[in-house]
Structure formats: C-alpha cells, structure tokens
Amino acid sequence: MADPVLKVRDLHLAFRKGRHTTEVLHGVSLHVNAGEKVALVGESGSGKSVTAQLALARLQQEKGTLVDGLVEVVGHDATHSPAEIARIRGHRVTMIFQDPTSALNPVFRIGEIFTQVLRAGGQKISEADARRKAEQALAEVHIPDPARALDSYPFQLSGGMNQRVMIAMALANEPELLLADEPGTALDVTVQAQTLRLMDEMVTSKGTAVLFISHNLSVVREFADRVYVIYRGKIVEHGRTDQLFSDPRHPYTRALLSAAPKLIGGGLPDLPEHSDAFRDPLIVHEGCGEPDDEVTA
Amino acid sequence: MNPVLRLLLQRLAISLLVLVGVSILIFFVARVVPGDPARIALGPNASQAAVDAMREARHLNDPLIIQYGWFVRDLAQGDLGTSLYTRRPVTTDIAAYLPATLELVFVAGAMMILLGLPLGRLAARYAKRGPDHAARFAAVVAVCTPAFVWGVILQLLLAYIWPIFPLEGRLSNGVDAPPGITGFYTLDSLMAGQFATFFDALYHLILPATALALSGIGQSARLTRSSMIETYRKPFIEMSRAYGFREDRISRRYAFRPALIPTLTILGLDFAAMLANAFLVERVFVWPGLSRYGVEVILRKDLDAIVGVVLVIAAMFLVTNLIVDLIVSIINPRIRLAERRAKS
C-alpha cells in the first residue's frame, strides 16, 4: 500500500505562556490514505482544528508552541521542517474554511486572489492562463457566470457562491490532500448541504484525499469513509463510518451520537458535560489500525 | 449616479455648511473679544478723531448683524476685506503667505505617508521582535515631542553643531525667488528651469518639514502597525497563508490595503492639523508662512484678516477630508460599488 498522504503519529502539542503550559493534544495518531475521506469529529476545544493547523505547519513557528511527535504531509515532515510544508501549501495541500466570505480578502477581486492561488508554491502561470484556468475551475463548481464572479468582490456574492469559489480554489491545483475545517459551518443549513455535496463530488472525481474536521455527525456519516472521534486532545474511537455508526463502543461516541437532534421525540438530550467514562482508552474497530501498527502487530 | 460622485457631492455640501458655520462663529468671536481694532491699528498716539473715522469707514459702529451682512456681501465678490496691519487686501496677504505654508505642509505630509506607513507595516510584520520594538520606541518619542521642540533640536544639531542644513528662511541670501506661478519655490524654480534655486529651496525645506512631520510619522506608523496587526488576525490572511502566498506580498498588499482603510481617515485629520501646528515651526525657522501671519493678526485684533485666515485653514481641513474620503472610497470597494450591490 502506498504511503498515506497525511500521517500523524503520537502527536503532542502544548502552548506555553509565561510559566504556564497548557497541553492541547496528548498523543494523537491518525492517517489519511491517498483519495480517502477521513473525518475527525469532536466538540469545540477538543483539538481538531489545531491538528489541521499543524498539518499546514501554521503553528510550529509560533512562539510558545511545543510540538512533539510526527506529522507527515505528502512525504514532508511538518514537525521538523515546517519550511518544506510552506512550499507545498496551496497546491499539494490546501484548506477550506468555516466561513467562506470572511476567508476571501474583502478589498480584492476574486480573480486576483485566484491568480495568487494558482501561483502557489512558485508555479509560473501568466495572467491570461490563470484567468482561463480560474474560469474553468469556477465552471466546474457550477458558478453560472465565471467571468463575472472573477470580477466581483466577495461581498457581492452570496455565501454559497463564495463557498463554491473556495472549493474551486482548494481543488484548482489538484492537491493530494484537502483539509476541510468545519467547511461552511457559517452558512445556512441548506446551502451548507449543497456545497458539501458539491465538495464530495469534486474530491471523489479528482481523487483528492480529505481530512474533514467537524462536530456534525450527520454530515460526517454521509461524507466520510473513516471516522476518528477526538475528545480533549485524545483519539477515543476509530473505525469505518458504518462500523462506528452501527456499533459505537466508546462512551463519549455514544454520548455524541445521542446528542444529535432527532426528528421525533424532540427536546434536548440530557448530556453530561463530562464523565469519567469519556476518558476510557482508545477503541479501534476491526481492520482500522494505524499503518505502522499493522506491521508490528 | 456613481456612488463615489454622490458621496463627494454629499461631503461637499456638508463642507460648505461647515464653512458657513465657521465663518459665523469666527466673525462674532473676533468681534466680541475686547479691544478696539482701530485703536490698535492706529497706535496709542493717534487722535480720537482718526480712530472714529476708521471705525466709521470699517462699519465698526454698526450692530454685529449688520456688520455680518457687509461681510457676506463682500465675500460674495471674493473680497475678504483689508488688513489693518499690512494695509493690503486680506486675499492678497493670504495669496502671499499661504503657498509657503502649503509647501511646508505638503512636504511634511509626504514624509508622514512615505515614511510612516512603511515603518508601521514593517513593525507589524515583525511584531514583538527587534525591528518592531525599535520602531515603536522611535514612534512614541516622535509623537510625544512637540513639533517646535523638534525644530529647535534639529536646528541645534544639523544647522548649528554640524552645519549641514541652513538655519532658517526659504532661500539663501542672494538667491532670488523664482517667478511666482504657484508660490511653491520648488515647483516654480523647476518650471523656470532654475535648478540651483530648486535645490536651494529644497535644502531649506528639509529641516522645518522634518520637524513638522516627525510626530505625524510616529502617529501614522503606530496607526498602521495596530491596524495591520488586527488585519493579520483576519481569516482571509490565514487563507492567504494556507494557500502559500508569499509573506512579503501579504505584508505589502493583502494585509496592507485592508489595514489602510481605517488608518487613512485619521491620517487625513493629522495632516490637516499640521496646518495649524505649522505656526510654531514657522516661528522657529523664520518661515514666511500663513501661520505666522495668522498669529500676528490675532494679536493685533485685525478683524478681517483673522476671519480670512481661519476660513482658509478651515477650507484646507475640509478639502483634505474630501480627498481622504475619495481615496478611501477608491480603496474600499464596498463604498465604490455600494449601488451596484443594491441593484443585483
């Protein structure tokens, strides 16, 4: 089997401020194979977003960040040589954000930003070629008038349109890995569903691997091949999507599943904020080990 | 109508209203302040008859409202009255002194923009590191020291101890003023092809303009820095980085331009404030500008001249604000395209 496009082994992360150190990740391991769609699910503050930021090498150089363990992105070591990741950002690994409208620079036309994206990693492309490629990419995400969209500012387009633009930008350079950090959470639910379906179609047809970060289990269920559940900086359960949803074994996963709103029998579920059982050790479903473990096991 | 044009017309209308308000205010304030302008103008030895004659000629015995009526009638004909001190029409005096001040203020303003903005940009880019600490310290020192103190310090260091620059004046002795077209010696000498005069004028400008600009440079650096640092936290900058935009391109373009929008409005006010600040610097450098003229006419209760000077300075403030609004609306597409969005 080929090397995974994202491999995280025993990752520890802590932030130090003055004499105070806060540990955020306690030995997270996960992997995403080429073309695979993997979800990382957990509540806010569980450490899902920082994992993505570490994969993009966006945190390593910040002051007071203590990183230990391995993060390997398409064969580049993000923990020890973040500069290498900086060179592959935007074309071999890209990212989609929560709120597309605030992720696009408000005082520049979408066309200019798109050209910059196409030039990521020092790729040489002329203004005219970039324009043509951008129009084509926007047409692929079903934007009705690509030329007009490129001449627009983000505030002139709807949130859904901006999300389509974001998806087009994320996939324009045919990356091996796409990090989707709660994509479209800021959009309304129907538009979010539409754009997620679009993203799903696009990555499937292009064979792009995705690390999908979310707190929304129903979205994950439709989208992901495999799921990692993260709780307070630790992976607590890992399995194929069907395994995890039909047979949730970890107390925290079960709590998370019961927290999903139901159509019938409404009302908010009574969920404990914390329970000692949530700290139970990692549960791995059959056939889902980390790549290195399989060799030793 | 084009939104930018509409905005400018709106602002222009408001500016005119402000100008009318200022004229009323200064007209009455100048007259309410005690002291007889005719007596001051003619001196203590003049006869009471001469003073009375002057009061009558200048309508100073009429009720204030009537006086204001005379003033408005003259103003409509472009006449601001006659100075009791120079005995020339106020418009002539202003035309003679204003260019010197404007030249000084423009050069200082250019320094403020060309040095302050890049300094703030670099400080933000290297925030909390060496260059930032150095720039912030320098900026605080620059902001906290009044312009006339800088004037004296610069004179002492660069004109007296190390006589690199001239101590005072607009031109060296023996250098004739260039033919007056704009009244800016640098521009006039260039247009007349007198390069020696040009360099002499420029040479004389450097110290007073620097003294006037230093606090503005510090202020604009501080504003740019804080606005840039705020912009750096925005999701669209995170996006630029996630997509591998080069860091110096982000700093020069993608973070700089959004950060400029809130900064510019305040800088416009700072720039206009230089006009008023200039009078102490003009005093220190014996610069024949409007501010010096303004101080002298106020001390002499030279009514027409006071009103004229204040009106001109107020008009400069308003014009500066208008220009800043125009620049901001060009940078900020939300203003420029406000209408198109409403339609679609």
Side-chain angles (χ1 to χ4, degrees):
Chain A
M1 200 173 66
D3 271 346
V5 288
L6 174 65
K7 191 160 84 180
V8 176
R9 290 289 298 173
D10 199 26
L11 181 63
H12 290 262
L13 169 69
F15 296 115
R16 190 176 55 202
K17 186 151 197 185
R19 247 181 274 163
H20 193 70
T21 305
T22 319
E23 264 200 75
V24 178
L25 297 177
H26 317 266
V28 167
S29 295
L30 56 84
H31 71 282
V32 181
N33 291 317
E36 199 186 17
K37 290 176 280 185
V38 175
L40 180 60
V41 183
E43 61 193 32
S44 345
S46 58
K48 19 185 230 303
S49 291
V50 287
T51 308
Q53 282 181 308
L54 284 171
L56 272 180
R58 287 283 308 118
L59 272 179
Q60 282 83 331
Q61 280 145 318
E62 299 280 319
K63 258 190 196 169
T65 308
L66 308 171
V67 187
D68 188 37
L70 175 82
V71 181
E72 213 176 85
V73 185
V74 287
H76 298 272
D77 183 346
T79 24
H80 300 104
S81 44
E84 273 184 45
I85 305 294
R87 273 197 296 280
I88 64 166
R89 282 205 292 254
H91 60 117
R92 299 192 64 190
V93 50
T94 59
M95 188 154 182
I96 292 179
F97 299 86
Q98 293 191 10
D99 178 6
T101 306
S102 65
L104 292 165
N105 198 317
V107 303
F108 290 94
R109 289 175 204 277
I110 284 164
E112 162 154 9
I113 301 295
F114 215 126
T115 304
Q116 285 301 310
V117 169
L118 290 169
R119 286 180 178 159
Q123 302 172 91
K124 300 264 180 293
I125 180 166
S126 73
E127 207 69 44
D129 284 349
R131 173 111 193 158
R132 207 169 315 122
K133 223 175 144 181
E135 278 185 24
Q136 205 183 327
L138 290 186
E140 272 183 58
V141 293
H142 312 302
I143 284 182
D145 188 349
R148 207 185 124 190
L150 286 178
D151 288 330
S152 303
Y153 292 89
F155 69 88
Q156 293 176 299
L157 300 182
S158 68
M161 278 298 146
N162 282 328
Q163 184 69 329
R164 283 163 197 268
V165 169
M166 222 38 254
I167 292 171
M169 284 178 179
L171 298 173
N173 290 324
E174 313 221 319
E176 278 113 307
L177 175 66
L178 170 64
L179 302 166
D181 188 357
E182 310 233 8
T185 311
L187 303 172
D188 66 64
V189 185
T190 44
V191 176
Q192 189 190 4
Q194 282 168 11
T195 51
L196 279 174
R197 198 161 305 127
L198 174 74
M199 187 176 97
D200 193 13
E201 286 165 18
M202 296 283 294
V203 294
T204 309
S205 73
K206 288 183 187 266
T208 314
V210 183
L211 179 67
F212 186 90
I213 294 165
S214 180
H215 60 264
N216 188 335
L217 280 166
S218 55
V219 170
V220 165
R221 185 175 204 163
E222 271 188 50
F223 183 83
D225 303 326
R226 256 183 324 119
V227 180
Y228 290 91
V229 179
I230 188 168
Y231 176 71
R232 298 209 173 171
K234 269 194 191 119
I235 304 285
V236 294
E237 188 159 2
H238 169 207
R240 286 199 317 275
T241 310
D242 54 328
Q243 291 173 321
L244 195 105
F245 280 90
S246 61
D247 178 22
R249 293 183 196 162
H250 196 278
Y252 178 68
T253 314
R254 278 193 223 124
L256 210 58
L257 280 171
S258 70
K262 292 175 188 66
L263 279 176
I264 304 160
L268 286 171
D270 187 20
L271 197 66
E273 192 137 308
H274 179 70
S275 136
D276 284 338
F278 292 175
R279 297 233 184 247
D280 283 1
L282 166 69
I283 294 169
V284 180
H285 287 255
E286 293 72 27
C288 284
E290 292 304 304
D292 295 350
D293 294 343
E294 283 164 28
V295 180
T296 49
Chain B
M1 202 197 304
N2 179 315
V4 175
L5 192 67
R6 194 179 51 195
L7 180 99
L8 284 186
L9 287 178
Q10 265 174 14
R11 292 291 154 90
L12 204 62
I14 295 173
S15 300
L16 283 178
L17 275 180
V18 170
L19 219 47
V20 170
V22 167
S23 79
I24 294 173
L25 191 72
I26 191 65
F27 185 87
F28 289 107
V29 166
R31 275 162 177 76
V32 165
V33 172
D36 180 357
R39 173 54 76 188
I40 298 172
L42 295 173
N45 298 327
S47 69
Q48 189 59 41
V51 172
D52 288 343
M54 185 177 235
R55 289 187 63 86
E56 194 54 43
R58 290 308 187 89
H59 309 294
L60 289 176
N61 294 327
D62 295 349
L64 286 182
I65 294 288
I66 307 289
Q67 288 189 37
Y68 188 71
W70 290 115
F71 166 75
V72 170
R73 194 203 60 184
D74 289 346
L75 187 64
Q77 295 163 352
D79 181 4
L80 285 170
T82 307
S83 165
L84 296 173
Y85 157 54
T86 62
R87 317 269 163 156
R88 292 189 296 177
V90 171
T91 45
T92 312
D93 277 347
I94 289 175
Y97 293 119
L98 182 63
T101 296
L102 281 185
E103 191 172 33
L104 188 60
V105 169
F106 281 159
V107 172
M111 286 179 171
M112 178 170 111
I113 302 291
L114 296 178
L115 297 175
L117 297 190
L119 206 64
R121 187 172 70 71
L122 287 178
R125 182 167 170 192
Y126 299 105
K128 310 244 162 93
R129 282 181 270 169
D132 179 35
H133 294 307
R136 270 161 77 195
F137 179 74
V140 168
V141 172
V143 170
C144 293
T145 312
F148 67 92
V149 175
W150 281 124
V152 174
I153 293 175
L154 290 174
Q155 271 186 334
L156 198 65
L157 289 180
L158 298 176
Y160 182 71
I161 298 180
W162 299 289
I164 305 168
F165 291 102
L167 195 62
E168 55 181 44
R170 287 182 85 185
L171 290 172
S172 304
N173 285 334
V175 177
D176 288 331
I181 302 164
T182 60
F184 289 19
Y185 283 0
T186 46
L187 285 184
D188 286 346
S189 58
L190 269 188
M191 282 191 284
Q194 300 170 349
F195 294 107
T197 311
F198 170 73
F199 285 114
D200 193 56
L202 199 63
Y203 193 46
H204 280 78
L205 261 170
I206 290 174
L207 281 195
T210 308
L212 187 57
L214 271 171
S215 73
I217 294 172
Q219 184 72 349
S220 61
R222 284 160 54 90
L223 283 171
T224 310
R225 175 185 180 274
S226 63
S227 181
M228 287 275 291
I229 285 178
E230 206 181 305
T231 308
Y232 271 137
R233 293 199 199 105
K234 294 275 168 71
F236 58 82
I237 295 301
E238 194 189 325
M239 180 270 175
S240 314
R241 286 173 170 157
Y243 280 79
F245 294 16
R246 291 210 329 277
E247 196 60 34
D248 73 286
R249 200 178 163 81
I250 293 177
S251 162
R252 272 187 291 110
R253 196 167 164 83
Y254 298 113
F256 185 61
R257 207 185 285 182
L260 209 52
I261 293 170
T263 312
L264 271 182
T265 317
I266 304 174
L267 287 190
L269 292 176
D270 278 358
F271 177 78
M274 278 187 183
L275 270 174
N277 251 328
F279 75 81
L280 287 167
V281 172
E282 287 183 2
R283 198 97 207 176
V284 171
F285 285 92
V286 196
W287 193 265
L290 184 71
S291 314
R292 253 182 65 199
Y293 175 74
V295 174
E296 309 222 358
V297 296
I298 287 171
L299 293 177
R300 283 163 198 270
K301 207 158 187 286
D302 189 347
L303 295 178
D304 290 349
I306 293 174
V307 174
V309 168
V310 169
L311 277 184
V312 165
I313 289 185
M316 291 292 156
F317 254 92
L318 295 169
V319 167
T320 312
N321 269 332
L322 215 59
I323 293 171
V324 168
D325 280 341
L326 184 69
I327 296 174
V328 167
S329 68
I330 288 170
I331 296 180
N332 190 351
R334 271 175 207 271
I335 298 178
R336 179 155 38 95
L337 302 170
E339 203 175 47
R340 208 204 286 176
R341 190 196 189 193
K343 266 187 207 156
S344 56

